[in-house]
Amino acid sequence: MNIILLGAPGAGKGTQAKMLEDKFGLVQLSTGDMLRAAVAAGTEVGKVAKDLMEAGELVPDEVVVGIISDRVDEEDCKGGFILDGFPRNTAQAEALDAMLEEKGLSLQHVIEMKVNPDILVERITGRFSCGDCGAGYHDIYKPVSKEGTCDECGSTNLNRRKDDNEETVRSRLEVYSNETEPLLPYYQGKGILRQVDGMASMDAVAEELNAILSA
Ligand code: AP5
């Protein structure tokens, strides 16, 4: 099973993708995570992406399409994958269609996580994660049990993303509404678009997703 999680920055795509990985044996393919790794490693892709990401702009289509095409070919994706943060515009969606057809693959569901834009700034500016094991947290919605320490691995290396400040979040939301929202009618037309209430609690959203994927 191959699926796309669609939703504005902070809608909960990454949070839910991690839960779905465990439950359904799928692999999360987050272009944001891959690009951040490229920036941290100082690769050519990272050099192209760095300033654009910090400004909340999209990285060029050919860069992300190439990354996803290579990643989907890896062995661990054979059991299915969750696209998180890709595609982000119509050109990427069309490139994905062509890529999947060429590889003999298809999409089973595109799931929109619907959220009220007002809550997104609070969700994103309160987010932090463990730099060692990757566990995600939130100041209000998912705090660590012991101040400054990761619940999962005990590390004190807790970080906030550079693009998680209010000004950049507002640019990212604008990019979402101009570039990514037009994908909703695109996938509606293909009959594979589903919706979940991303405003519900993390567990309630997970239940809705489980119901769709188990049907
Ligand atoms: P990316 O990393 O994809 O960021 P994003 O789309 O902005 O999404 P986020 O990771 O911010 O949000 P999320 O929906 O995963 O929310 P999360 O689960 O963390 O992209 C970053 C940048 O990379 C882009 O701006 C662009 O520059 C570049 N890029 C990436 N892909 C690209 C592409 N395809 N093309 C071109 N450029 C690309 O949740 C947020 C917080 O809320 C967390 O703290 C969480 O704990 C909390 N939370 C989650 N769910 C709930 C809930 N139900 N209730 C309460 N709190 C919740």
Side-chain angles (χ1 to χ4, degrees):
M1 175 163 57
N2 304 313
I3 68 169
I4 296 176
L5 290 184
L6 262 185
K13 305 180 295 293
T15 302
Q16 295 298 330
K18 289 203 167 56
M19 297 196 210
L20 292 175
E21 275 195 313
D22 295 339
K23 174 121 184 131
F24 291 92
L26 304 172
V27 176
Q28 175 195 15
L29 303 182
S30 158
T31 39
D33 287 349
M34 294 177 205
L35 291 167
R36 276 184 289 282
V39 171
T43 64
E44 285 309 310
V45 164
K47 284 176 196 157
V48 172
K50 186 172 184 293
D51 291 347
L52 291 164
M53 292 177 80
E54 282 176 19
E57 301 294 332
L58 294 187
V59 171
D61 295 338
E62 61 275 18
V63 173
V64 285
V65 170
I67 291 178
I68 286 293
S69 180
D70 291 346
R71 185 65 184 85
V72 163
D73 289 338
E74 288 179 32
E75 197 52 38
D76 63 342
C77 290
K78 299 283 182 267
F81 49 81
I82 306 160
L83 293 171
D84 162 9
F86 178 89
R88 258 177 149 93
N89 59 27
T90 308
Q92 291 181 17
E94 289 170 351
L96 175 64
D97 285 346
M99 177 200 308
L100 293 176
E101 194 180 342
E102 194 191 310
K103 294 179 195 293
L105 298 170
S106 59
L107 286 171
Q108 278 62 56
H109 302 287
V110 175
I111 305 173
E112 181 198 9
M113 304 186 59
K114 282 180 83 73
V115 279
N116 180 338
D118 297 342
I119 203 167
L120 295 174
V121 174
E122 181 192 67
R123 275 204 190 170
I124 293 181
T125 53
R127 170 170 61 184
F128 59 99
S129 65
C130 175
D132 290 341
C133 74
Y137 298 98
H138 190 278
D139 293 328
I140 300 165
Y141 304 116
K142 196 182 172 199
V144 285
S145 314
K146 186 178 165 212
E147 180 69 31
T149 306
C150 175
D151 289 355
E152 302 289 330
C153 73
S155 167
T156 52
N157 179 19
L158 300 178
N159 303 312
R160 289 179 195 264
R161 271 168 49 178
K162 249 189 166 163
D163 60 345
D164 277 355
N165 59 75
E166 188 164 343
E167 192 189 339
T168 309
V169 173
R170 297 215 180 270
S171 314
R172 286 160 57 195
L173 290 173
E174 207 177 308
V175 170
Y176 179 78
S177 119
N178 294 337
E179 305 261 344
T180 312
E181 267 183 355
L183 293 183
L184 298 173
Y186 180 86
Y187 287 116
Q188 180 94 55
K190 290 177 181 286
I192 53 172
L193 183 69
R194 318 272 178 267
Q195 284 164 334
V196 297
D197 176 12
M199 302 287 287
S201 71
M202 291 182 206
D203 287 343
V205 177
E207 265 180 42
E208 264 200 85
L209 286 168
N210 287 344
I212 292 172
L213 301 192
S214 306

